[in-house]
Amino acid sequence: MSLYVVGHKNPDTDSVTAAIAYAELQKALGEDAVAVMQGEMNPETKVVLDKFGVAAPEIMTDAAGKTIALVDHSDLAQAPDNLDQAEIKAIIDHHKIGDVTTSNPIFFCAMPVGCTGTVLKFLYDVNKVEIPANIAGLMLSAIISDTVLFKSPTTTDDDKKACEALAKIAGVDDMQAWAMEMFKAKSAVEGVPAKDLVFRDYKDFDMNGRKVGIGQLELVDLSLVENIRDDLYKALQEVKEEGGRHTVLLLLTDIMKEGSDVMVVSDDPAIVEKAYNVKIDGPAVWVDGMMSRKKQAVPPLQDAFNAA
Ligand code: MG
Ligand code: MG
Ligand code: MG
């Protein structure tokens, strides 16, 4: 039976390319593996797959009866449906350990690095498997995307070293230029419904029994969303109501100025104020230096919910 390799819901470039790269590694090791994804690709991921000539994975949202490897997450809220009716074989990740549990021993490889692509570079090397040029290009792009070309505080030396090596294999001479091309694609918001933008890079969390959603739009300039701020705020309110959520945030991240305008809809904004040490007196509040959801947005919010 095929091993289905899948990243998180609302897939980002890392989740899609990590599924492809881990499936390729398993195939090179003689396993029957197939990369899948839980939803449509974002515009950045499309540009990345196009550039390296790799086909988009099939969409799979139901894990029932399947053999599964999770990449780029281990939170049930981000995993495929009916994961309890699947056999999990492996988890490859770079986040906090989530709430996925298994009944059998599994291969679990998580590292505190900036991207699953960096973990995969390590796994290819450990297994002495040569990385195909197009797969190296995908892994390189994932690291550029997740670390915002090393600007995110999640960046480690391992990420930079992996990028150097992968760029050589992939034949990418100008990493900076390729990163700008990706970021421009990532910033595309024109004509996209506000709710789709909220969900473009979005994750739900369980924080002390409360459902909390955090979306992020990484933009080369915040002026790109100036005209649609009201629509985004309305969409956030809808997302909160529809999903029975306690709090929904949208990080409007300016990757050049290196900070985020955090849009907040919450039953108790004081928790958010306490978490980020800010005063909220409008739809959004600027948090200087905030680039990373997993390292800067989630931990203080989790702590504030735990204390509430
Ligand atoms: Mg991800
Ligand atoms: Mg990632
Ligand atoms: Mg990200």
Side-chain angles (χ1 to χ4, degrees):
M1 192 163 62
S2 268
L3 175 72
Y4 287 82
V5 187
V6 65
H8 54 72
K9 285 189 161 73
N10 309 120
D12 57 8
T13 296
D14 189 26
S15 262
V16 175
T17 61
I20 295 169
Y22 188 65
E24 285 304 311
L25 174 62
Q26 289 310 300
K27 284 195 257 179
L29 296 170
E31 298 291 328
D32 180 14
V34 55
V36 290
M37 58 186 183
Q38 292 194 64
E40 296 294 340
M41 293 184 289
N42 70 35
E44 179 195 69
T45 311
K46 280 186 197 151
V47 164
V48 168
L49 263 60
D50 268 4
K51 166 144 174 133
F52 296 102
V54 177
E58 302 265 315
I59 291 181
M60 183 219 71
T61 57
D62 191 340
K66 296 192 173 79
T67 306
I68 297 279
L70 300 177
V71 294
D72 199 31
H73 72 295
S74 66
D75 280 278
L76 278 175
Q78 297 161 24
D81 299 337
N82 300 315
L83 195 64
D84 56 334
Q85 296 162 44
E87 191 189 354
I88 300 174
K89 287 276 196 185
I91 298 176
I92 318 296
D93 196 16
H94 69 117
H95 295 85
K96 70 180 172 71
I97 298 177
D99 51 3
V100 168
T101 56
T102 66
S103 40
N104 290 309
I106 67 160
F107 182 81
F108 193 115
C109 185
M111 292 176 165
V113 293
C115 180
T116 312
T118 305
V119 182
L120 287 167
K121 169 72 169 63
F122 169 81
L123 289 178
Y124 268 91
D125 291 349
V126 168
N127 285 287
K128 300 192 166 59
V129 172
E130 206 175 306
I131 307 173
N134 58 349
I135 301 298
L138 299 188
M139 291 159 70
L140 166 72
S141 305
I143 303 172
I144 290 173
S145 173
D146 265 13
T147 66
V148 197
L149 193 61
F150 315 137
K151 279 186 184 183
S152 168
T154 57
T155 309
T156 66
D157 278 344
D158 288 340
D159 299 307
K160 293 181 189 168
K161 276 185 209 144
C163 275
E164 238 171 81
L166 291 166
K168 273 195 198 118
I169 300 168
V172 174
D173 300 326
D174 191 341
M175 218 189 286
Q176 183 84 36
W178 172 229
M180 272 324 289
E181 222 176 295
M182 285 173 52
F183 296 156
K184 273 189 197 135
K186 200 201 282 265
S187 297
V189 296
E190 218 173 276
V192 183
K195 209 176 218 170
D196 292 1
L197 292 175
V198 172
F199 281 125
R200 182 182 274 176
D201 179 3
Y202 174 93
K203 289 177 182 175
D204 274 318
F205 300 89
D206 181 322
M207 296 199 179
N208 199 16
R210 310 300 179 113
K211 195 170 171 187
V212 176
I214 306 179
Q216 181 172 30
L217 284 177
E218 289 164 315
L219 304 160
V220 289
D221 193 331
L222 286 191
S223 67
L224 289 163
V225 291
E226 210 44 61
N227 295 330
I228 55 168
R229 276 176 178 268
D230 291 349
D231 297 337
L232 288 171
Y233 192 72
K234 257 183 239 148
L236 271 197
Q237 287 173 315
E238 280 171 31
V239 168
K240 179 185 173 302
E241 293 313 318
E242 287 164 5
R245 296 171 173 93
H246 178 281
T247 298
V248 184
L249 307 183
L250 180 62
L251 314 181
L252 300 170
T253 302
D254 188 320
I255 63 179
M256 297 302 167
K257 295 202 177 79
E258 303 189 23
S260 294
D261 223 9
V262 181
M263 221 171 237
V264 181
V265 179
S266 177
D267 288 338
D268 188 357
I271 296 179
V272 182
E273 291 188 330
K274 190 179 155 211
Y276 304 136
N277 197 18
V278 291
K279 193 88 206 127
I280 301 168
D281 54 9
V285 59
W286 175 258
V287 183
D288 209 39
M290 187 181 282
M291 300 277 285
S292 163
R293 171 172 44 207
K294 75 168 180 175
K295 201 157 184 169
Q296 294 168 298
V298 171
L301 194 61
Q302 178 83 58
D303 288 347
F305 267 94
N306 288 347

